[in-house]
Amino acid sequence: MTTLDLDGLIDDPATRIIVCCGSGGVGKTTTAAAIGLRAAERGRHVCVLTIDPARRLAQAMGLTELDNTPRPVVDIKASPGSLDAMMLDMKRTFDEVVESHSDPERAQAILNNPFYQALSSSFAGTQEYMAMEKLGQLRAQSDSEGTWDLIVVDTPPSRSALDFLDAPERLGTFLDGRFIRILLAPARGAGRGIGRIIGAGFGLFAGVLNKVLGAQLLSDLAAFVGAVDTMFGGFRERAEATYALLKDRGTAFIVVAAPERDALREASYFVERLEQDGMPFAGLILNRVQEVRAPELSAEQCLAAAERLEVAGDSPITVSLLRLHADRLRNAERQRRLATRFTAAHPGVPVTEVIALAEDVHDLDGLREIGGLLAGN
Amino acid sequence: MPTSDWPHVMLHVVSGKGGTGKTTVAAALALALASGGRRVMLMEVEGRQGLAQLFDAPPLPYEERKLAVAPGGGEVWGLAVDPEEALLEYLELFYNLRRAGGALRRMGAVDFVTTISPGLRDVLLTGKAVELVRRKDKMHAKPYDAIVLDAPPTGRITRFLNVNTEIAGVAKVGPIRSQADGVMAVLRSPKTAVHLTTLLEEMPVQETADGVRELSDAALPVGGIVVNVTRPPRLDADQLALARSGDLPVDEIRRAVLAAGVGRDTDSVVAALAGEAADHAARVALEDTERLRIAELGRPVYELPFLASGIDLGALYELGSRLKAQGMA
């Protein structure tokens, strides 16, 4: 098994973007933050984009304002490096996209439309799409202003592997679908009413929708589609640019997992999908691995010794400690079996294991400790 | 056997942060409710086929299928609700528009409408659950004694259930609006309880607290909290205190380790055991803090243990019987 050389990766000036992906609850956000801090303290100018950090982690990084803009993280030992961090505001990012692609009047019409509001706040994939959109913006800003030379991105806990890779495409397909084109026809036909559209299919369709949803809904929908039409080109272009950016050699994907069956199954999907898309994949970080001290004491040996002491009525606390040790060994063995299964299926993948810490990270020292573990020391 | 804490509830909605095992808990609850000869419907709405995976069955169609039998002759049925199918069914049921539905689907309209308008999608999904709650056969008997809904995660649950408000933004009048009102009436009634699953970790507990607050603010009935994957402490309270403060009786442990003949280097064995005890004590202290935060929410709390063997049908029965023993069913 090869080890992921994190310091080699973050010290290489050619590394411009690191994307941390994985299922929910495996410590992905913490990992992204720890990588960002370590890189900054090793001299990089880093921006960390987090999606939904735990409250204490956010506080540790000084993320108190949700204003969709990177803010400097203070109290780091980064000279000449620097660290900025931000939390993604999905809706605000979407609004900004709309504003930058339309004149103010049209933008306002879109922002007020109930369908836009539904799409921007809860369409499956919007968060993924906006995370990638924000990444594109940050990268453009760092290219033009020289603000950052490394961007570390946390990704939303996708339900299915790499929704964020598919999101731009999905949104594009969705907005470009046949149905939308039918709805768009009247808008393009010099502002005639939607009911004037010819074609039995549409008449039937409009009838049904009017009946079920009410006429207001249909006209809102037509207005939305008409307004959004002008942005299509922009959406597509940006989605393609972001995808190209992800595929670039300056990007490194890190898959984060925990040694549990479901998380490793997800990690397998991620690894396979990244390889299939030819994405630059750096390796796997296996978080929350059970640490065993004195592994040479086997579980059986400890349980037998505990039994002997218990029968003799000797030192109850030693009995408990031996059983605790056996418990940890068994858990570690179970995790080892799961990890072995993963490496057997993906033999070339570099893996770094990080032991489970007793406490959640709540300050920069905690993040620094994790950064050290990630780098293998 | 204690009596159920939820004797009047027919619709059990199970939510929780992703990764806390809400599908497992929903399935265990369904088995618990079905035990003793009752018929329970277990529904999923996220198109993940999580139930089929859990019960090791082929993918579920949009069709009510028997999934498992419960102790004492009960039955658990399964249904994977698909929003498109639900829309077509709705059109047929209320407007006799099955054929039109087919045409709509070919145009991509069904996909479009169910995707872009999440309020509409949600009212179709919750509407199906409510239909099952209300359903009666020709003899006016209820085909299911209870419905368990494996619902979207905590972050989205209030939006998902609060269909009335969500749909108000897009459909101000019309039949879909009346449908939403009818669904809402059942969801807000004592027939419904929204249970939340969590782990003894900071983030999931925080999300649970947020979820309880949001549900209450939306006047939706908060049910119990299921603490999943718990591990009993291996040391008693006094031992944990000693381990935490670094006051373990090292001389006694050294003597006992030597007497039991464990390991070659007794000092390093003692140091390792003491270090593990300190880790364990820190972990238990953290879990106790989270338990307190959960208790402060003032809801009935149920605990399920970590099962080293993993989750299979046998494990679901065990978890179900534990929920029943604690009064969740």
Side-chain angles (χ1 to χ4, degrees), chain B residues 105-189:
Chain B
R105 191 210 292 261
R106 278 193 299 281
M107 289 166 67
V110 173
D111 179 35
F112 184 89
V113 170
T114 53
T115 314
I116 194 167
S117 168
L120 177 61
R121 186 184 61 212
D122 293 346
V123 80
L124 289 166
L125 298 174
T126 49
K128 186 66 196 174
V130 167
E131 187 256 312
L132 290 169
V133 169
R134 287 181 176 152
R135 190 191 288 174
K136 285 187 180 141
D137 62 20
K138 286 185 188 122
M139 311 296 292
H140 301 285
K142 288 189 168 294
Y144 298 106
D145 297 296
I147 318 294
V148 178
L149 173 62
D150 177 14
T154 327
R156 288 196 286 124
I157 186 66
T158 302
R159 257 202 138 96
F160 175 75
L161 295 174
N162 208 3
V163 283
N164 215 343
T165 317
E166 288 297 302
I167 207 88
V170 277
K172 291 173 187 68
V173 288
I176 199 86
R177 180 59 203 259
S178 342
Q179 163 81 351
D181 289 343
V183 168
M184 206 66 230
V186 172
L187 293 180
R188 287 221 169 103
S189 77

Side-chain angles (χ1 to χ4, degrees), chain A residues 54-56 114 121-123 159 179-180 205 211-212 221 288 293 305 308 314-315 320 325 327-328 360, chain B residues 46 104 112 115-116 118 159 169 175-176 201-203 206 234-235 239 252 255 260 262 276 279 283:
Chain A
R55 198 160 297 176
R56 291 207 293 175
S121 53
S122 46
F123 177 69
R159 205 179 62 186
F179 174 64
I180 293 243
F205 156 76
K211 204 163 173 183
V212 180
L221 186 57
R288 304 186 173 200
R293 307 182 194 207
R308 282 199 298 279
D314 195 2
S315 184
S320 300
H325 180 70
D327 218 40
R328 288 167 71 105
D360 293 324
Chain B
E46 293 190 286
L104 290 181
F112 184 89
T115 314
I116 194 167
R159 257 202 138 96
I176 199 86
E201 290 172 19
E202 184 194 349
M203 270 292 262
Q206 183 60 50
R234 285 292 174 184
L235 308 180
Q239 295 169 340
E252 176 191 331
R255 188 192 48 71
V262 192
E276 288 183 344
D279 283 357
R283 183 75 234 161

Side-chain angles (χ1 to χ4, degrees), chain B:
Chain B
M1 195 56 75
T3 50
S4 163
D5 297 343
W6 316 98
H8 306 297
V9 171
M10 265 206 76
L11 176 60
H12 296 265
V13 180
V14 180
S15 178
K17 180 172 160 37
T20 59
K22 79 187 161 61
T23 304
T24 307
V25 171
L29 177 60
L31 281 168
L33 289 166
S35 72
R38 306 214 306 165
R39 228 161 96 111
V40 175
M41 168 56 75
L42 178 56
M43 283 175 69
E44 71 175 325
V45 293
E46 293 190 286
R48 274 193 308 174
Q49 288 294 338
L51 297 181
Q53 244 178 45
L54 200 57
F55 284 92
D56 204 15
L60 289 175
Y62 184 40
E63 193 181 286
E64 293 160 41
R65 290 254 171 116
K66 192 159 116 180
L67 273 180
V69 293
E75 288 176 358
V76 172
W77 286 61
L79 175 68
V81 188
D82 172 76
E84 288 195 21
E85 288 293 336
L87 177 59
L88 296 180
E89 185 184 74
Y90 174 84
L91 291 176
E92 183 177 17
L93 211 61
F94 291 92
Y95 305 97
N96 201 17
L97 281 170
R98 186 86 198 172
R99 287 236 308 260
L104 290 181
R105 191 210 292 261
R106 278 193 299 281
M107 289 166 67
V110 173
D111 179 35
F112 184 89
V113 170
T114 53
T115 314
I116 194 167
S117 168
L120 177 61
R121 186 184 61 212
D122 293 346
V123 80
L124 289 166
L125 298 174
T126 49
K128 186 66 196 174
V130 167
E131 187 256 312
L132 290 169
V133 169
R134 287 181 176 152
R135 190 191 288 174
K136 285 187 180 141
D137 62 20
K138 286 185 188 122
M139 311 296 292
H140 301 285
K142 288 189 168 294
Y144 298 106
D145 297 296
I147 318 294
V148 178
L149 173 62
D150 177 14
T154 327
R156 288 196 286 124
I157 186 66
T158 302
R159 257 202 138 96
F160 175 75
L161 295 174
N162 208 3
V163 283
N164 215 343
T165 317
E166 288 297 302
I167 207 88
V170 277
K172 291 173 187 68
V173 288
I176 199 86
R177 180 59 203 259
S178 342
Q179 163 81 351
D181 289 343
V183 168
M184 206 66 230
V186 172
L187 293 180
R188 287 221 169 103
S189 77
K191 278 187 183 164
T192 301
V194 186
H195 310 293
L196 299 172
T197 60
T198 186
L199 304 176
L200 289 176
E201 290 172 19
E202 184 194 349
M203 270 292 262
V205 172
Q206 183 60 50
E207 252 190 48
T208 303
D210 293 345
V212 167
R213 201 190 53 242
E214 287 165 17
L215 287 166
S216 310
D217 288 351
L220 287 159
V222 183
I225 294 168
V226 182
V227 181
N228 202 6
V229 204
T230 61
R231 296 163 201 250
R234 285 292 174 184
L235 308 180
D236 64 33
D238 295 341
Q239 295 169 340
L240 285 170
L242 293 174
R244 197 154 42 235
S245 58
D247 295 324
L248 285 168
V250 183
D251 291 337
E252 176 191 331
I253 297 167
R254 184 180 292 114
R255 188 192 48 71
V257 164
L258 206 58
V262 192
R264 294 206 189 98
D265 180 352
T266 307
D267 281 343
S268 78
V269 168
V270 172
L273 293 180
E276 288 183 344
D279 283 357
H280 185 63
R283 183 75 234 161
V284 171
L286 199 74
E287 290 182 355
D288 286 346
T289 311
E290 299 305 336
R291 265 202 186 87
L292 265 178
R293 291 175 66 200
I294 292 169
E296 280 166 8
L297 298 173
R299 307 303 313 163
V301 178
Y302 313 97
E303 293 211 1
L304 291 176
F306 164 74
L307 296 178
S309 58
I311 300 297
D312 54 12
L313 192 56
L316 289 178
Y317 283 117
E318 186 184 338
L319 297 177
S321 71
R322 283 177 187 257
L323 289 179
K324 197 166 171 64
Q326 295 173 69
M328 193 176 183

Side-chain angles (χ1 to χ4, degrees), chain A residues 11-277:
Chain A
D11 288 348
D12 182 353
T15 307
R16 300 286 311 278
I17 292 175
I18 294 177
V19 184
C20 296
C21 46
S23 51
V26 296
K28 194 170 32 173
T29 308
T30 308
T31 302
I35 291 175
L37 177 62
R38 187 169 182 86
E41 296 193 331
R42 293 172 74 88
R44 302 292 302 266
H45 296 282
V46 185
C47 180
V48 176
L49 169 58
T50 64
I51 306 296
D52 191 13
R55 198 160 297 176
R56 291 207 293 175
L57 176 64
Q59 281 165 359
M61 303 189 69
L63 289 173
T64 45
E65 276 177 275
L66 220 179
D67 61 355
N68 215 22
T69 313
R71 300 273 168 203
V73 178
V74 290
D75 292 336
I76 68 164
K77 301 165 185 165
S79 180
S82 63
L83 179 62
D84 291 352
M86 68 168 287
M87 263 188 278
L88 178 74
D89 181 337
M90 168 176 87
K91 180 152 181 13
R92 192 139 166 182
T93 306
F94 210 150
D95 291 354
E96 286 165 9
V97 172
V98 169
E99 282 158 1
S100 69
H101 282 280
S102 336
D103 58 75
E105 197 182 328
R106 198 181 274 269
Q108 201 50 51
I110 297 178
L111 297 185
N112 291 341
N113 188 287
F115 279 93
Y116 168 75
Q117 286 164 3
L119 180 74
S120 62
S121 53
S122 46
F123 177 69
T126 299
Q127 199 180 32
E128 287 82 358
Y129 180 79
M130 289 308 135
M132 292 304 106
E133 170 65 32
K134 196 75 207 175
L135 170 63
Q137 289 178 11
L138 293 174
R139 176 56 184 263
Q141 190 182 343
S142 61
D143 283 348
S144 63
E145 299 168 21
T147 341
W148 307 288
D149 57 25
L150 177 65
I151 301 167
V152 183
V153 205
D154 171 26
T155 54
S158 300
R159 205 179 62 186
S160 57
L162 300 192
D163 271 352
F164 64 91
L165 281 184
D166 298 324
E169 174 68 26
R170 274 191 55 209
L171 199 66
T173 312
F174 174 68
L175 292 174
D176 232 6
R178 184 169 163 209
F179 174 64
I180 293 243
R181 276 182 282 126
I182 295 171
L183 278 183
L184 273 174
R188 284 171 179 158
R192 271 177 297 178
I194 193 157
R196 300 278 297 275
I197 296 296
I198 325 296
F202 189 80
L204 174 70
F205 156 76
V208 171
L209 277 194
N210 268 325
K211 204 163 173 183
V212 180
L213 303 172
Q216 172 69 36
L217 188 141
L218 199 57
S219 67
D220 279 346
L221 186 57
F224 166 69
V225 169
V228 162
D229 184 38
T230 52
M231 313 193 325
F232 280 171
F235 265 120
R236 291 241 134 173
E237 260 168 48
R238 291 167 91 91
E240 280 161 21
T242 307
Y243 191 84
L245 187 62
L246 292 176
K247 222 168 161 160
D248 188 85
R249 289 162 56 96
T251 300
F253 280 87
I254 290 178
V255 175
V256 185
E260 299 298 337
R261 199 177 48 168
D262 290 351
L264 281 169
R265 187 170 48 211
E266 278 298 303
S268 280
Y269 288 139
F270 277 97
V271 171
E272 282 155 24
R273 177 65 202 277
L274 289 171
E275 285 172 349
Q276 184 190 323
D277 278 32

